[in-house]
């Protein structure tokens, strides 16, 4: 069974304090790994897609990386507006339409 | 980017009534849409896959008679929670995948359902 585990569950950072979020996955035939940002009471907002080990994507203060077993979302010099829940999801090759989500990491950045 | 509109954003209803939630793809056609349910501080759980012009595919454990899905056009899918009960209270989110986006899902803004 496909599994996605995110850690930590919650993370508090001071503004400017860089850190990383982890997404460990177990899936047969990974087709893609996705990162989303979700604000309270809203639907998830797409951030990145990673397809193969070694791939990296960047967007402003965020950088996503992928290995064969996990993905990291690195946050460099975060700002309070980066506070949100970050969700990781995997797409399995055999069932291309489905995404399996992790429980997310709640990030709080204090000024 | 692609826009998925979901309505209403919040609904409060009495136990035993039915509630309809609409999901529209505004700038692309979607032959398939997905309905998720999310509990507080929990992950998104896929409920069903909505297929235009045919029956929806439900995930294991999801009651198809409780959660009616209709995908009558290439831009509209609806989820009706029938005979709602307090345990149906949750955050419901729809999503769709435009062609050529490499599997990327775009989500609606969600509907918070509260059943009294």
């Amino acid at each position: 069974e496909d599994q996605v585990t995110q850690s930590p569950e919650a993370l508090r950072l001071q503004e400017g304090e860089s850190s990383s979020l982890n997404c460990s996955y177990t899936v047969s035939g990974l087709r893609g790994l996705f990162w989303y940002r979700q604000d309270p009471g809203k639907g998830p907002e797409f951030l990145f897609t990673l397809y193969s080990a070694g791939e990296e994507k960047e967007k402003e203060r965020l950088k996503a990386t992928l290995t064969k077993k996990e993905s990291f979302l690195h946050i460099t010099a975060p700002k309070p507006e980066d506070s949100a829940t970050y969700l990781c999801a995997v797409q399995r090759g055999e069932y291309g339409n489905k995404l399996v989500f992790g429980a997310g990491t709640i990030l709080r950045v204090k000024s | 980017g692609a826009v998925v509109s979901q309505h209403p954003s919040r609904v409060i209803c009495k136990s035993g009534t039915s509630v309809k939630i609409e999901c529209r793809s505004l700038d692309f056609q979607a032959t398939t849409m997905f309905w998720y349910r999310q509990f507080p501080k929990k992950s998104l759980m896929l409920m069903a896959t909505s297929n235009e012009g045919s029956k929806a595919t439900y995930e294991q454990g999801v009651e198809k008679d409780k959660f009616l899905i209709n995908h009558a056009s290439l831009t509209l899918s609806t989820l009706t929670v029938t005979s709602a009960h307090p345990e149906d209270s949750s955050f419901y989110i729809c999503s769709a995948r435009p062609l050529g986006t490499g599997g990327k899902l775009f989500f609606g803004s969600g509907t918070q359902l509260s059943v009294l």
Side-chain angles (χ1 to χ4, degrees), chain A residues 87-106:
Chain A
L87 299 168
C88 169
V90 296
Q91 185 178 34
R92 189 176 173 186
E94 294 178 22
Y95 304 100
N97 284 331
K98 295 185 181 181
L99 290 189
V100 177
F101 281 85
T105 293
I106 302 171

Side-chain angles (χ1 to χ4, degrees), chain B residues 10 16 26 31-32 37 44 48 56 66 68 70 80 87 90:
Chain B
R10 182 178 294 272
L26 296 187
T31 56
T32 304
R37 182 173 181 176
L44 278 74
K66 156 74 72 179
L68 299 179
N70 183 275
T80 300
E87 57 265 29
S90 190

Side-chain angles (χ1 to χ4, degrees), chain B residues 15-47:
Chain B
S15 185
T17 61
S18 294
V19 174
K20 180 185 283 188
I21 303 170
E22 291 189 350
C23 180
R24 295 180 184 273
S25 55
L26 296 187
D27 50 2
F28 65 98
Q29 293 183 333
T31 56
T32 304
M33 291 185 176
F34 305 91
W35 288 94
Y36 288 84
R37 182 173 181 176
Q38 187 177 33
F39 292 101
K41 298 185 180 180
K42 297 293 183 182
S43 181
L44 278 74
M45 300 299 297
L46 180 64
M47 298 175 63

